[in-house]
Amino acid sequence: MSDHDHHDDGVSRRRVLECMTWAGTGVLWTISGGVPHSLGLVGSAAAAEPSGLTFLQISDSHVGFDKPANPNALGTLEEGINKIIAMPKKPSFMIHTGDITHLSKVAEFDNAERIISQAKLDVHYVPGEHDFIDEEVKLYKERYGKGTKGAGWYSFDASGVHFIGLVNVVDLKGGGLGNLGAEQLEWLENDLKGRSKSTPIVLFAHIPLWTVYPEWGWGTEDGGRALEYLKGFGSVTVLNGHIHQVMQKVEGNVTFHTARSTAFPQPAPGTAPSPGPMKVADDKLRSMLGIASVNFKLGDQRLAIIDTPLQG
Amino acid sequence: MMTSATCRSLGLRSGFRSGFRSLGIRLAVAAAIVLPLGVIGAHAEDMKVTIDNFTFAPAELKVKVGDTVTWINHDDIPHTVVSAGKFRSKTMDTDNDFSFTFTAAGDYKYFCSLHPHMTGMIKVE
Ligand SMILES: [Cu+2]
């Protein structure tokens, strides 16, 4: 992944830059004045002293999953949380981009809570489709829906950064992709109205808001409309889960990033008959699971995302 | 998305479809020989749609009024079967199934509410 260096490649600053990493140990991204640079691998990234706001993203813990791709998803979630506990600088908070549970069972939500709370951090959740499959579709909202709108969307501010949690896993239409819906889009438009364009924005949701691979449903039908409301903002970061692998794309002022799962890997787009859980050799599994750490250095509008696998 | 749906229905030529039906009848005859008690009083055929690799197979199934269709999920990931206003399964985990008896003719488009790119069709005549 060391070849993802946009700094010296002679590409015009105005040109849209695209970078996708299908896998790998991790890439540090920074944005200075809206121009993205990749600075290297996790090792060198970790060496750079983070200052300013640091928060963590975990995703797709699928507590309750026990199939061959990972018979102990709760155990690997705990390994991820232990990585967070061991961080030299305590992050400000955590976001969880959905699929907390595998089957929305009470015990799964309880177990997830018991492990994640060990990090002793505030956690801002958005739901995945696996968190809404209890009969009455109430368990997620009972636990994490306080102070949210609609199916669970909300926004908050931290250290001058505006965070927006969106829900794109409900009311999905046959043949379609993820869905935000008119009500949520209207709320988003109002939430951003009148906000200074210099405010860094972090949008997070379960399914990628950009079209990764529609053949597997990896995208959001009306994600483009959400991004229209973000035009003109100097720094926009979109954090998603769902696809259980690191993937990045930079388009103008917007950085898109997906996090690894802590439960099981999924194949790169089109490399398998389906997006289902990918069974890898036991000693490979932990290199394909992990967490992400995001750092803002407010002085120079810089953002860095560091993906850390559980192992390797 | 529309493209893949179109491709799938184009793939089901009438020859293939009738081949499937005669195979189904042959299987039903075989079942009648092995399990004679099982077919007493059973006028309707039982039809099956399997879910493997996030795909309904067959993608399109022709049945008669009164037939019962059973969906069975072979994936390591849960799926559902939803036909707007017609039927809606519970979440089917691995090896779970769902059955629905069709009492009226018509085309029943359905999809998985968790993975909406998964679509299928039951034609009831
Ligand atoms: Cu599905």
Side-chain angles (χ1 to χ4, degrees), chain A residues 21-36:
Chain A
T21 49
W22 304 116
T25 52
V27 180
L28 168 68
W29 281 90
T30 69
I31 291 186
S32 302
V35 181

Side-chain angles (χ1 to χ4, degrees), chain A residues 53 55 92-95 122 124 147 154-165 187 190-204 233 235 296 298:
Chain A
L53 173 70
F55 67 95
S92 296
F93 57 85
M94 218 191 301
I95 64 170
D122 283 341
H124 302 276
Y154 59 97
S155 66
F156 65 96
D157 293 282
S159 305
V161 179
H162 188 61
F163 289 82
I164 305 170
W187 171 86
N190 286 325
D191 183 75
L192 291 167
K193 214 171 259 170
R195 214 167 277 284
S196 158
K197 295 284 191 271
S198 63
T199 310
I201 306 284
V202 173
L203 262 188
F204 59 107
F233 282 89
S235 166
F296 281 99
L298 288 177

Side-chain angles (χ1 to χ4, degrees), chain A residues 98-117:
Chain A
D99 285 356
I100 306 157
T101 72
H102 193 59
L103 295 169
S104 301
K105 292 178 176 170
V106 171
E108 294 175 348
F109 278 113
D110 285 348
N111 284 334
E113 185 64 35
R114 181 169 55 80
I115 300 300
I116 293 170
S117 64

Side-chain angles (χ1 to χ4, degrees), chain A residues 62 65 67-69 102-103 129-130 133 135 172-177 214-217 242 264 273-277, chain B residues 1-2 4-5 8 52-55 75-78 80 90-94 110-119:
Chain A
H62 284 264
F65 184 83
K67 302 297 189 304
H102 193 59
L103 295 169
E129 72 279 7
H130 287 256
I133 53 182
E135 201 93 327
L172 306 184
K173 310 285 185 295
L177 305 169
E215 291 82 351
W216 284 355
H242 188 61
F264 55 84
S274 84
Chain B
M1 296 288 50
M2 292 317 293
S4 72
R8 222 172 286 163
D52 282 289
N53 287 321
F54 290 59
T55 306
D75 276 345
D76 277 356
I77 283 287
T80 70
K90 288 182 188 175
T91 301
M92 292 179 275
D93 195 10
T94 308
Y110 67 89
F111 71 108
C112 168
S113 63
L114 300 174
H115 312 106
H117 66 286
M118 298 170 57
T119 59

Side-chain angles (χ1 to χ4, degrees), chain B residues 61-79:
Chain B
L61 182 61
K62 268 191 174 180
V63 303
K64 298 234 158 26
V65 171
D67 282 355
T68 297
V69 175
T70 299
W71 286 262
I72 179 153
N73 176 22
H74 292 150
D75 276 345
D76 277 356
I77 283 287
H79 296 294

Side-chain angles (χ1 to χ4, degrees), chain A residues 249-302:
Chain A
K249 174 168 121 143
V250 178
E251 237 181 70
N253 61 329
V254 186
T255 300
F256 299 87
H257 181 273
T258 62
R260 289 189 180 94
S261 162
T262 60
F264 55 84
Q266 286 178 188
T271 62
S274 84
M278 182 166 66
K279 172 78 183 133
V280 297
D282 288 350
D283 62 347
K284 281 265 156 53
L285 177 63
R286 280 162 180 77
S287 69
M288 304 184 80
L289 308 177
I291 58 173
S293 155
V294 186
N295 177 243
F296 281 99
K297 290 172 184 170
L298 288 177
D300 51 14
Q301 291 266 304
R302 178 186 282 182

